[in-house]
Structures are given as structure tokens and as C-alpha cells.
Amino acid sequence: MENEMRSIGEMARESGLSVSALRFYDGAGVFGPARVDPRTGYRWYAAEQLADARLIARLRRVGMPLAEISVVLTAPQAQARQVLDEHLRRLEDGLTDARRELSTVRTLLDLREIPMSTTRLTCLATELAAALDAVRFAVGADAAMPAVTGVLLEAEADVLRAVATDRYRLAVSQAPITGQSGPAARVIAPASFVDELRPLLTGGTVELEIDGQLLTATVGGRQVGGERLDHDYPDYRPMLRLRPTHQVEVAAGALRETLGTGATHTGRHGQDGAAYDVSVLSLDGDGGLTVVERDTAAGELLVGVNRDFLLEALAAGAQPQLVLELGGPIAPLAIRFPDRKDTFSILMPIALDR
């Protein structure tokens, strides 16, 4: 039989996979030999396995995760093609992100050669207030990660985008830009600057000026100043491309009441060990959102979230109706506002012991 089969070395040479890769895929349960000699432990592969091995080599060259490779190998053709299409979209999205980052690098290189210019942006004060209110709750407070202790402000395509994250949640909103001069701007405004500015944003216009390290806001003759945080902000854009499996419209007030009275259990942050209450979200028989005991809905969609984080996200948008997007127990939960497509927040899920 061994004369009719390929050794692991022969399979490696003919498939383009290394011997160590073949051993790894065997251990991962993705692609194993047809036979293992019980005495020597040698792996032997059947001739018909070569096609799959070459397929794996091609999929790995384009960076497909092992779990998805397993689906391509074993699932019906329609499902396999769907996995290929989704991976291609991720690659295209990654290329878009890479182009954006390289464009930023070119700008930074140019700034080495020419004096830094001042950028001035004008927005309606109430629009900026709404954007800041929608993200302020998600600003981080960990001094070990200073980049997330402020609000990222990005001027892009006539809008000023505000972003905040503390690694466990992400909030995004934006305000229209009514006037702009100077180069494109991307700065991290310290939380103290945002908190001092927010009470002034009651009407009229606000002018933001970025001049080197200095950040100044002028509203109705009053000024707020500070220094931008000189750090690299985390790449949040991949989180904007979530593909949920369920979208549920809910009344914010009713959900807040349900969260306040529903069952919880205790969770802890992995890094700092801080305790928090975990609420378990599920869908009822009519497809509506419900809060359940974690052990009473085995086999159904269960998503664990930090209850206080979810309550803060509900309050931040100040909207009566919300759309919650759920993708499963290990997928982030998104909270969106039907009449403000540009404003949403994302909460990382809490792993539930089953």
C-alpha cells in the first residue's frame, strides 16, 4: 500500500506545502494523512489528496484562516464560494486601509521637508456637541495606553469624525464641516479638552485650529486650548465592517428598563481584573431582543455584554429607537441609530461558560 501512496516528504514537494505545515494541518484537524503507520508513526497520503493539498497551499498564500480553509474543503460548493467571496472582500478592505496608511506616511514625510501648516475647521456647535456626546463614554482611562485617553478627530470628505475606544468598546460619530483651510487633519484631543469644550457648544459655530502640537477651539468669542496627544491611535476601521447575522429594532427606554431588572452574572476584565455585571442577550420566539439567564437558552443565540457599557451606549445616542446588530456569541455587538447612520457604538462580547 505504501508504494501506492505518498510519504509526507513527497506530498510536500508535490503540493508546495512544507513538511512542518502538513504536520500542523494534521494536528489542527484540517488536513490529515490517509494512513499513519502504527509502528513508525510515518504519515502516508493518498494520490487523490494531492488536489486538496495544492488547494490549501493556494489559500494559505492569500492568508485565509485555517477554519475557513476547512469549510472550503468540506462544505458544499455554494458555501465554499461564499467563504471565498468573504475573504476576497476582507483582502480588498485591507488594501484600502493600506493605501490610506501609506497616504498618511507620505504626508508625514512631506512634513519633514516643509514647515507644518495650520489647519482650521468650522462646524455647527450643536452638531459637534452631538458627535462628542455619542462617543465620550467610550474614552479610555488606562494611563498605560495614552493613545485611547482622548477622542480621535479626523477631517475627511467634508465631515469631522469623532472616535473613542477603551479596547472593550468603540464609538463613532461625525459632524459636517462647514469650512476648512490647511492640510488634512487627524488629531487626538485629550479628554480634558473635550470636557472643557462641550459646555460651550450650545449654538452658533465652533472653529477648531490645529497648529503643530496645539489644539484650540473658539466658540462665541471663548477659547479652549490644549496639546494634542502625540500617539498612534489604534486602527479602528476593520471594526466598521462587521457583518451581523441578526438586526433587531428596540425601544431604548424599554431595553434600559429590562437591563435594570434582568438577570446578570459577574465577569472580570482580563487585564485589570475589575468586576462588572454581565447581561446575556438572546432572541425570543418572535425575533425580538430579550435578556435571559445564561443557562436557560442552551443552543440559542446568546451574547454576553458588560451591562453598564451597554447602558452607557444606549444613553450616549439620546435616541428613542435603536437597532442592535448581533453576530453570535464571539462577535462584537453593534448599537446603531436609525436616523443617524453615521453614529454607532460597538461592544466586545463577554465569553460565557457553557
Side-chain angles (χ1 to χ4, degrees):
M1 181 180 294
E2 292 177 1
N3 291 334
E4 300 172 358
M5 304 182 79
R6 289 168 171 79
S7 68
I8 192 170
E10 291 169 333
M11 178 61 78
R13 286 192 295 274
E14 294 184 45
S15 68
L17 295 170
S18 66
V19 170
S20 60
L22 286 168
R23 289 177 178 147
F24 174 73
Y25 297 145
D26 182 17
V30 174
F31 181 74
R35 177 178 177 270
V36 178
D37 189 301
R39 183 174 59 85
T40 64
Y42 289 168
R43 294 169 170 88
W44 295 95
Y45 294 83
E48 58 267 23
Q49 289 185 283
L50 180 58
D52 279 354
R54 287 174 171 169
L55 184 63
I56 292 171
R58 289 181 179 275
L59 293 175
R60 288 302 287 166
R61 282 199 289 271
V62 296
M64 179 172 283
L66 286 181
E68 295 182 7
I69 289 177
S70 182
V71 174
V72 172
L73 293 178
T74 60
Q77 189 177 54
Q79 185 178 352
R81 288 185 178 276
Q82 182 180 1
V83 171
L84 294 176
D85 290 342
E86 290 176 354
H87 186 64
L88 179 59
R89 281 195 292 269
R90 285 198 301 269
L91 293 176
E92 290 170 342
D93 291 340
L95 181 58
T96 298
D97 291 342
R99 285 180 175 139
R100 184 182 297 108
E101 290 298 327
L102 289 175
S103 177
T104 301
V105 169
R106 290 190 182 97
T107 300
L108 293 174
L109 290 175
D110 290 342
L111 292 176
R112 290 181 176 180
E113 305 298 328
I114 60 175
M116 185 172 291
S117 302
T118 300
T119 296
R120 293 182 178 85
L121 308 170
T122 304
C123 300
L124 292 177
T126 53
E127 292 281 357
L128 182 57
L132 294 178
D133 288 346
V135 305
R136 176 62 179 87
F137 75 97
V139 172
D142 187 353
M145 294 193 66
V148 302
T149 60
V151 174
L152 175 66
L153 300 175
E154 293 181 310
E156 183 178 287
D158 298 325
V159 297
L160 181 64
R161 182 177 294 110
V163 182
T165 184
D166 63 358
R167 297 171 297 151
Y168 304 107
R169 49 189 169 170
L170 169 74
V172 179
S173 189
Q174 64 186 41
I177 294 174
T178 59
Q180 179 174 348
S181 64
R186 188 177 194 266
V187 299
I188 307 174
S192 57
F193 176 89
V194 172
D195 293 343
E196 187 178 354
L197 171 62
R198 176 59 186 88
L200 306 181
L201 301 176
T202 56
T205 60
V206 54
E207 182 182 90
L208 294 174
E209 180 178 288
I210 301 116
D211 186 4
Q213 287 296 111
L214 298 180
L215 183 60
T216 306
T218 303
V219 189
R222 301 181 64 179
Q223 282 193 341
V224 174
E227 290 192 8
R228 61 194 288 183
L229 298 180
D230 191 15
H231 301 283
D232 287 331
Y233 201 78
D235 183 11
Y236 68 92
R237 292 181 184 273
M239 295 296 294
L240 308 186
R241 297 189 285 266
L242 299 175
R243 293 186 175 88
T245 57
H246 299 84
Q247 291 183 316
V248 186
E249 187 167 345
V250 298
L255 180 53
R256 281 194 291 268
E257 183 177 348
T258 301
L259 289 168
T261 59
T264 63
H265 70 275
T266 301
R268 293 186 180 276
H269 287 309
Q271 181 172 353
D272 53 27
Y276 54 85
D277 290 328
V278 176
S279 292
V280 182
L281 308 181
S282 186
L283 301 179
D284 60 25
D286 298 323
L289 191 74
T290 182
V291 179
V292 300
E293 296 276 1
R294 65 174 173 175
D295 297 325
T296 60
E300 298 182 6
L301 174 69
L302 297 177
V303 180
V305 294
N306 183 312
R307 184 185 65 173
D308 291 339
F309 283 2
L310 180 53
L311 287 170
E312 289 177 356
L314 300 181
Q319 299 291 311
Q321 292 296 120
L322 307 168
V323 174
L324 268 62
E325 296 181 344
L326 300 87
I330 61 172
L333 169 73
I335 302 100
R336 299 187 183 274
F337 307 97
D339 58 347
R340 294 184 63 187
K341 302 297 184 183
D342 58 304
T343 298
F344 58 92
S345 54
I346 296 171
L347 306 184
M348 298 306 296
I350 306 299
L352 301 174
D353 297 329
R354 298 295 299 273

